[in-house]
């Protein structure tokens, strides 16, 4: 990913038609769902977790399936989004005739152990954008790297006191004009557009937010309200993770807290959270046992 810094004086005024085109591109990217179907997906592996994180840097919503019928039924329920699919070579060869003509499906990537084996049949289906070779139990990270993004950042020092500085003279990469921003820097996305009609290259125009940005202030306050403001430290993080659906990580945190010295009432609150987490994980007997421990306390 590359960034390019422009001052406000260097930004040309765009026509209304061009802005409308940009808005359409923003909406198009925001309305994309990524569905990964592979009967060999193992959600417990570190490779899987890392891959999901990488994929979510490109597309916010990522759903994984190991069952073809469940996957197709889910796609049928989608109305306001476009679907990008990742299919294993084995499943793809049999499933493509069923999903290719679905209006929700926008593009398809095939991941296989032998690329040459699948090159011929994939050419017959225009929605298949690429066939990538990968290990049997892991997604090829070349898909993630197939999208290039150029960030164009507009900064007006009169509107923001967020510190930033050029580090060109001390950077390890001497031929790049690198700029270092403060950790709390927030940029507003103005538009996203394809570069030279290439659907794998995008230009994202950003503006450093103003100190008096009312929308950002309102959003910050809302996040504080929704991130369990009455709790502190690790307990607060555990509750936030549970709210985000990251039950495994939340469970780890609460179990660590149980080993710390605390009042019985505090332990009861943690057991209460663990019971809800295990219930959400469909570990119903374990949830019952934890609730019993809670009542004993």
């Amino acid at each position: 990913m590359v960034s390019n810094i422009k001052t406000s004086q260097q930004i040309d005024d765009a026509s209304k038609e061009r802005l409308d085109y940009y808005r359409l591109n923003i909406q198009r990217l925001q309305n994309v769902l990524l569905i990964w179907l592979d009967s060999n997906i193992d959600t417990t592996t570190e490779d899987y977790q890392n891959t999901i994180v990488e994929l979510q840097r490109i597309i916010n919503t990522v759903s994984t399936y190991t069952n073809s019928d469940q996957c197709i039924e889910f796609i049928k329920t989608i109305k306001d989004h476009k679907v990008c699919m990742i299919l294993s070579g084995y499943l793809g060869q049999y499933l493509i005739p069923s999903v290719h003509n679905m209006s929700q499906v926008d593009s398809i990537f095939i991941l296989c152990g032998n690329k040459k084996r699948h090159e011929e049949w994939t050419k017959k289906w225009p929605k298949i954008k690429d066939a990538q070779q990968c290990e049997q139990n892991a997604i090829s990270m070349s898909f993630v790297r197939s999208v290039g993004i150029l960030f164009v950042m507009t900064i007006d020092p009169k509107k923001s006191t967020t510190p930033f500085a050029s580090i060109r003279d001390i950077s390890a990469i001497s031929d790049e004009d690198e700029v270092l921003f403060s950790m709390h820097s927030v940029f507003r996305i103005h538009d996203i557009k394809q570069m030279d009609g290439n659907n794998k290259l995008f230009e994202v125009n950003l503006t450093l937010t103003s100190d008096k940005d009312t929308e950002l202030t309102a959003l910050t306050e809302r996040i504080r309200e929704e991130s369990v403001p009455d709790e502190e430290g690790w307990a607060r993080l555990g509750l936030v993770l549970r709210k985000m659906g990251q039950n495994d990580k939340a469970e780890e945190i609460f179990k660590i807290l149980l080993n710390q010295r605390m009042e019985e009432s505090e332990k009861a609150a943690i057991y209460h959270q663990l019971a809800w987490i295990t219930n959400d994980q469909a570990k119903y007997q374990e949830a019952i046992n934890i609730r019993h421990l809670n009542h004993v306390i």
Side-chain angles (χ1 to χ4, degrees), residues 137-240:
N137 295 320
I139 183 174
S140 170
M141 293 310 295
S142 60
F143 169 76
V144 177
R145 297 184 185 107
S146 66
V147 177
I149 302 175
L150 170 68
F151 289 110
V152 180
M153 301 177 181
T154 304
I155 303 168
D156 187 347
K158 296 178 182 178
K159 295 182 179 180
S160 176
T161 57
T162 301
F164 63 93
S166 171
I167 57 172
R168 178 177 54 188
D169 296 333
I170 60 174
S171 173
I173 309 174
S174 57
D175 58 342
E176 291 190 6
D177 292 335
E178 291 187 275
V179 176
L180 182 65
F181 291 93
S182 171
M183 287 288 290
H184 65 275
S185 301
V186 179
F187 289 84
R188 182 183 294 277
I189 299 176
H190 280 285
D191 52 59
I192 303 171
K193 63 179 179 179
Q194 289 184 2
M195 297 177 63
D196 301 324
N198 189 329
N199 63 3
K200 292 186 178 181
L201 292 175
F202 289 87
E203 178 180 305
V204 181
N205 288 282
L206 309 171
T207 301
L208 189 62
T209 52
S210 166
D211 294 339
K212 298 179 180 179
D213 191 315
T214 55
E215 291 183 355
L216 178 61
T217 301
L219 175 62
T220 302
E221 289 302 317
R222 182 62 181 270
I223 291 173
R224 284 174 180 162
E225 291 173 6
E226 293 185 353
S227 60
V228 202
D230 295 333
E231 295 290 341
E232 295 180 354
W234 288 102
R236 185 177 186 181
L237 177 59
L239 291 169
V240 170

Side-chain angles (χ1 to χ4, degrees), residues 30-297:
Q30 290 175 339
N31 288 342
V32 173
L33 302 180
L34 179 61
I35 295 178
W36 178 13
L37 172 63
D38 190 334
S39 58
N40 292 317
I41 290 177
D42 184 355
T43 59
T44 63
T45 65
E46 185 177 351
D47 281 343
Y48 169 84
Q49 298 293 339
N50 292 337
T51 299
I52 292 298
V53 169
E54 292 295 328
L55 290 172
Q56 286 176 334
R57 290 177 180 175
I58 301 172
I59 299 176
N60 289 333
T61 306
V62 179
S63 300
T64 59
Y65 286 90
T66 56
N67 183 283
S68 301
D69 293 334
Q70 292 177 359
C71 180
I72 292 175
E73 289 303 313
F74 173 69
I75 294 174
K76 289 179 180 178
T77 66
I78 298 171
K79 295 181 179 180
D80 300 324
H81 293 76
K82 289 294 183 182
V83 172
C84 173
M85 296 192 73
I86 301 175
L87 302 175
S88 65
Y90 174 77
L91 282 178
Q93 195 164 0
Y94 298 98
L95 197 66
I96 285 294
S98 301
V99 300
H100 189 273
N101 292 329
M102 297 179 74
S103 59
Q104 297 94 330
V105 177
D106 180 73
S107 54
I108 302 169
F109 291 81
I110 302 296
L111 298 168
C112 53
N114 187 339
K115 184 175 181 178
K116 290 183 178 180
R117 179 182 174 185
H118 299 278
E119 280 181 342
E120 284 302 316
W121 72 264
T122 55
K123 293 177 182 178
K124 301 176 182 178
W125 305 96
K127 287 186 179 179
I128 297 180
K129 302 304 180 184
D130 200 1
Q132 296 288 342
Q133 187 164 324
C134 63
E135 296 179 6
Q136 188 68 20
N137 295 320
I139 183 174
S140 170
M141 293 310 295
S142 60
F143 169 76
V144 177
R145 297 184 185 107
S146 66
V147 177
I149 302 175
L150 170 68
F151 289 110
V152 180
M153 301 177 181
T154 304
I155 303 168
D156 187 347
K158 296 178 182 178
K159 295 182 179 180
S160 176
T161 57
T162 301
F164 63 93
S166 171
I167 57 172
R168 178 177 54 188
D169 296 333
I170 60 174
S171 173
I173 309 174
S174 57
D175 58 342
E176 291 190 6
D177 292 335
E178 291 187 275
V179 176
L180 182 65
F181 291 93
S182 171
M183 287 288 290
H184 65 275
S185 301
V186 179
F187 289 84
R188 182 183 294 277
I189 299 176
H190 280 285
D191 52 59
I192 303 171
K193 63 179 179 179
Q194 289 184 2
M195 297 177 63
D196 301 324
N198 189 329
N199 63 3
K200 292 186 178 181
L201 292 175
F202 289 87
E203 178 180 305
V204 181
N205 288 282
L206 309 171
T207 301
L208 189 62
T209 52
S210 166
D211 294 339
K212 298 179 180 179
D213 191 315
T214 55
E215 291 183 355
L216 178 61
T217 301
L219 175 62
T220 302
E221 289 302 317
R222 182 62 181 270
I223 291 173
R224 284 174 180 162
E225 291 173 6
E226 293 185 353
S227 60
V228 202
D230 295 333
E231 295 290 341
E232 295 180 354
W234 288 102
R236 185 177 186 181
L237 177 59
L239 291 169
V240 170
L241 287 170
R242 187 189 156 214
K243 238 182 169 182
M244 294 170 60
Q246 301 288 328
N247 286 318
D248 291 343
K249 294 178 181 178
E251 183 180 18
E252 288 180 21
I253 288 175
F254 285 121
K255 285 183 176 179
I256 290 172
L257 288 174
L258 277 177
N259 295 324
Q260 299 179 1
R261 291 184 179 180
M262 60 179 67
E263 299 293 333
E264 292 299 316
S265 59
E266 293 176 306
K267 279 192 175 183
I270 292 175
Y271 277 124
H272 179 74
Q273 291 300 327
L274 284 171
W276 277 112
I277 289 170
T278 50
N279 183 75
D280 292 342
Q281 295 170 326
K283 301 175 183 176
Y284 302 119
Q285 186 57 52
E286 186 176 344
I288 292 172
N289 293 340
I290 293 174
R291 289 186 186 278
H292 176 69
L293 286 173
N294 193 11
H295 286 306
V296 170
I297 292 176

Side-chain angles (χ1 to χ4, degrees), residues 19-35:
L19 287 173
D20 289 340
Y21 172 76
Y22 291 166
R23 291 190 186 100
L24 286 173
N25 276 302
I26 296 171
Q27 186 175 8
R28 181 177 180 274
L29 287 179
Q30 290 175 339
N31 288 342
V32 173
L33 302 180
L34 179 61
I35 295 178

